[in-house]
Amino acid sequence: NLAMLYYQHASRDSLYNGNDRVSNNVELKSDIGIARYVHYMDVAGLHIAPQILVPFGRLDAGKDIASLGSSTGLGDIILANTFFIYHDKDTKSTFGITPYLYLPTGKYSKYDDLNLGENRVKLTVQGAYTTQLIDRLNWDIAGDFTIYGKNDDVINGSLKQDLGFQVQTNTRYRLTDIADLRAGLSYSDAGDIKQNGVTTDSNKQTKFWIGTGISPTATTQVILNYGRDLRVENGFKEDNRINLRLMKVF
């Protein structure tokens, strides 16, 4: 069993339309937490990991977009299950497939500009591979796609979104038996949005992160990462992001 608590603080200071920056006097901050429980088990000879994730937090807008206001509360609960379909003990390699089902349980109002919930069902399917390249150096790579349900509770119509996808890669170098250094890159394309007959081009983000993982005991781990967006199309650009993860094995 794993019990995990995530915290992410992110700030955004500019807004893009396509590749063009249309404002550098905006402020959008988010403080998001996620409580996550994972249980590992074997079913019919297959190793799986059913899990539940409960997001919560706050969004705050400022400067030129202060009129968007703020939002505090619960996000959409996520049900997931990892299917480990490949494992090689010699190379310490693992490949797993994880579907994530997002339920429309979060705080949402069509009259609010900022919402922690999306009022729609989403399904993300991710494939992830990890391996040890050489002694002390591990490499991870993952890709996923997201299918969006329709949100019928928007002003004067409904909201639909095209298929989204993301790819990411991460390396981890073990400094000691309890500490490592890590760095990664990701690219995401959220999919075009269609609302009331108007199509908004997809938000695209390229970001990086660096950080460390520390395991003070055999059953605990702390991960701390810092990152930001390298490039953005059609949306807010993150100037700073801090991620913290606490994990307990029991």
Side-chain angles (χ1 to χ4, degrees):
N1 299 285
L2 301 179
M4 290 181 278
L5 184 64
Y6 298 78
Y7 168 71
Q8 175 187 283
H9 171 79
S11 59
R12 303 154 187 87
D13 64 352
S14 54
L15 180 63
Y16 283 75
N17 181 14
N19 292 312
D20 299 323
R21 185 169 63 182
V22 294
S23 176
N24 61 358
N25 192 41
V26 298
E27 183 178 70
L28 180 61
K29 295 181 179 179
S30 59
D31 290 280
I32 305 297
I34 300 176
R36 184 177 192 175
Y37 169 71
V38 184
H39 175 68
Y40 290 88
M41 59 192 296
D42 292 312
V43 175
L46 181 64
H47 198 47
I48 64 173
Q51 49 200 282
I52 183 171
L53 300 88
V54 182
F56 55 93
R58 179 177 176 85
L59 303 172
D60 277 298
K63 296 184 179 180
D64 285 352
I65 58 169
S67 61
L68 297 180
S70 63
S71 179
T72 303
L74 291 174
D76 293 334
I77 291 175
I78 307 164
L79 303 179
N81 191 6
T82 301
F83 299 87
F84 296 95
I85 60 176
Y86 173 78
H87 180 67
D88 188 327
K89 293 182 179 180
D90 294 332
T91 61
K92 298 181 180 179
S93 302
T94 301
F95 179 73
I97 296 177
T98 307
Y100 296 87
L101 179 63
Y102 295 73
L103 304 176
T105 58
K107 183 181 178 181
Y108 175 84
S109 171
K110 65 181 177 182
Y111 301 109
D112 292 338
D113 294 305
L114 298 178
N115 284 289
L116 287 162
E118 297 187 39
N119 193 48
R120 60 181 178 178
V121 174
K122 293 193 307 185
L123 176 65
T124 296
V125 179
Q126 181 183 79
Y129 175 76
T130 182
T131 189
Q132 180 175 286
L133 298 176
I134 57 175
D135 185 40
R136 296 181 177 271
L137 182 64
N138 289 73
W139 175 58
D140 314 313
I141 186 168
D144 60 65
F145 65 87
T146 298
I147 301 171
Y148 301 92
K150 185 168 65 170
N151 180 0
D152 286 320
D153 189 23
V154 300
I155 295 177
N156 298 325
S158 63
L159 183 148
K160 298 179 181 179
Q161 192 163 355
D162 291 345
L163 186 77
F165 70 90
Q166 178 179 229
V167 291
Q168 54 186 309
T169 184
N170 184 72
T171 57
R172 294 170 284 125
Y173 181 76
R174 185 162 52 88
L175 295 171
T176 69
D177 290 339
I178 67 169
D180 68 50
L181 293 177
R182 52 187 63 206
L185 289 167
S186 73
Y187 173 79
S188 63
D189 181 331
D192 292 348
I193 295 174
K194 301 177 178 66
Q195 182 174 347
N196 304 334
V198 178
T199 297
T200 302
D201 290 339
S202 174
N203 172 243
K204 301 179 178 68
Q205 293 176 301
T206 302
K207 62 181 69 229
F208 84 96
W209 61 89
I210 55 174
T212 183
I214 300 174
S215 301
T217 71
T219 61
T220 58
Q221 185 187 49
V222 179
I223 295 176
L224 179 64
N225 288 333
Y226 169 80
R228 61 181 298 169
D229 286 338
L230 295 173
R231 182 178 178 181
V232 166
E233 293 181 38
N234 304 307
F236 293 98
K237 185 176 183 180
E238 287 183 359
D239 59 324
N240 288 292
R241 174 194 283 241
I242 297 173
N243 286 86
L244 175 66
R245 191 191 79 173
L246 309 177
M247 182 180 74
K248 172 65 178 176
V249 182
F250 61 99

